[in-house]
Amino acid sequence: MTTTERPIVLPGDTIPPHLIPSSTTKPLRLGPGLRHVPPSDIVPVVAGQLITNHQKNSMWVEYNNNRYLPTPGDLIIAQITRSGPDFYYCLLSPYTPHATLPHLSFESATKKTRPQLLPGSLVYARVILANKHMDPEIECVSQSTGKSDGLGELKGGMVFDVSLQFARRLLMSRSREEGKVEVLELLGEEGLAFEIAVGRNGKIWVGGEDVKVVVAVGRALRETDEAGLGVEEQRRLVRRLVKGMK
């Protein structure tokens, strides 16, 4: 991610034009914490750190919030609560209205071949519709390619709750920046085999054949989040957890 300034903004502040990405080939994407006021104003609606990604021509406000607000494009982990004639009804968080997941929003799905998801099943999905007048809608297939692109049912494994800010940090750039979360790379360097899916709704799914590894990865993520560990502290944490597994 290419970032230059990360100023602190307050609700209603005016954002200087030079901080707004200006790609001529990509539409400007506004993430959490920002609102477009016609014709051309972009206004913060929360207090936090303004982040700009010039490569993706996007910007958002980084802030700590205990309530998840769905935003189109978000990758989330949802739990199936029930099935209707055309939709699954999914829980994104305790404070969010149930989202709808069309039965055919899966790769190569037809009425005969669509997944049969039972209540309690987990899916990794993308938010495609979210506004205050309608329930959110999610999908498990890319509308442009028709492929799952890693989305779909999450089988086995365990789900761990983390803060929304920590989930956003995990989904951000892989580059070495201030505040980078390296705990996953460090666990991989220790030879631990696992799969992971990170949801912007503050949920992380960890899968793997060894239950001890799954639990260790979940503990590492939770402790890194709750204690706000730096890179060196993350290294010590990983060494301690791996030593405890032997």
Side-chain angles (χ1 to χ4, degrees), residues 77 122 155-160 195 197 204-208 211 214-216 218:
I77 294 174
L122 298 173
K155 300 179 180 180
M158 298 178 65
V159 173
F160 300 88
E195 298 177 282
I204 299 177
W205 174 86
V206 182
V211 176
V214 172
V215 173

Side-chain angles (χ1 to χ4, degrees), residues 3-246:
T3 58
T4 52
E5 299 181 55
R6 293 186 170 193
I8 300 299
V9 294
L10 299 175
D13 278 356
T14 299
I15 298 178
H18 73 275
L19 293 179
I20 301 175
S22 56
S23 173
T24 58
T25 59
K26 299 178 181 179
L28 177 62
R29 297 179 59 186
L30 300 182
L34 294 174
R35 183 176 64 187
H36 173 233
V37 178
S40 58
D41 291 336
I42 298 174
V43 179
V45 294
V46 296
Q49 193 174 42
L50 181 66
I51 308 294
T52 57
N53 185 328
H54 293 278
Q55 292 179 348
K56 295 184 178 181
N57 206 46
S58 63
M59 58 192 303
W60 67 94
V61 177
E62 188 70 33
Y63 64 101
N64 226 350
N65 185 19
N66 293 325
R67 180 186 179 190
Y68 171 66
L69 299 176
T71 301
D74 280 359
L75 295 174
I76 51 88
I77 294 174
Q79 182 179 46
I80 305 295
T81 57
R82 63 186 177 90
S83 177
D86 300 305
F87 300 93
Y88 292 109
Y89 293 88
C90 311
L91 184 65
L92 304 186
S93 79
Y95 313 106
T96 305
H98 275 65
T100 57
L101 171 62
H103 288 167
L104 302 183
S105 284
F106 295 85
E107 183 175 347
S108 303
T110 66
K111 290 185 177 180
K112 293 184 178 181
T113 63
R114 65 178 176 84
Q116 302 295 321
L117 302 178
L118 299 175
S121 299
L122 298 173
V123 293
Y124 195 39
R126 180 186 297 106
V127 177
I128 58 174
L129 176 65
N131 61 57
K132 62 182 179 180
H133 302 295
M134 299 177 63
D135 290 340
E137 183 175 336
I138 61 178
E139 65 177 3
C140 290
V141 63
S142 171
Q143 294 180 343
S144 59
T145 65
K147 303 294 184 181
S148 64
D149 293 338
L151 305 179
E153 184 180 6
L154 297 172
K155 300 179 180 180
M158 298 178 65
V159 173
F160 300 88
D161 292 325
V162 297
S163 68
L164 299 184
Q165 185 180 40
F166 187 72
R168 288 195 295 270
R169 288 171 60 195
L170 285 172
L171 287 167
M172 280 174 18
S173 173
R174 297 291 182 181
S175 63
R176 291 178 175 271
E177 297 178 341
E178 182 182 356
K180 175 175 168 52
V181 181
E182 291 194 359
V183 66
L184 294 176
E185 288 83 350
L186 296 172
L187 288 165
E189 291 173 2
E190 293 289 341
L192 303 187
F194 59 91
E195 298 177 282
I196 190 168
V198 181
R200 277 214 163 190
N201 55 334
K203 298 186 180 298
I204 299 177
W205 174 86
V206 182
E209 297 182 358
D210 190 332
V211 176
K212 290 184 178 180
V213 171
V214 172
V215 173
V217 173
R219 283 188 59 189
L221 291 167
R222 290 284 299 270
E223 290 189 31
T224 299
D225 177 27
E226 293 171 359
L229 301 182
V231 174
E232 289 304 318
E233 293 170 315
Q234 293 175 47
R235 291 184 186 278
R236 290 194 290 269
L237 170 64
V238 169
R239 286 196 293 265
R240 173 168 60 83
L241 291 174
V242 172
K243 183 179 179 180
M245 295 173 57
K246 297 180 180 178

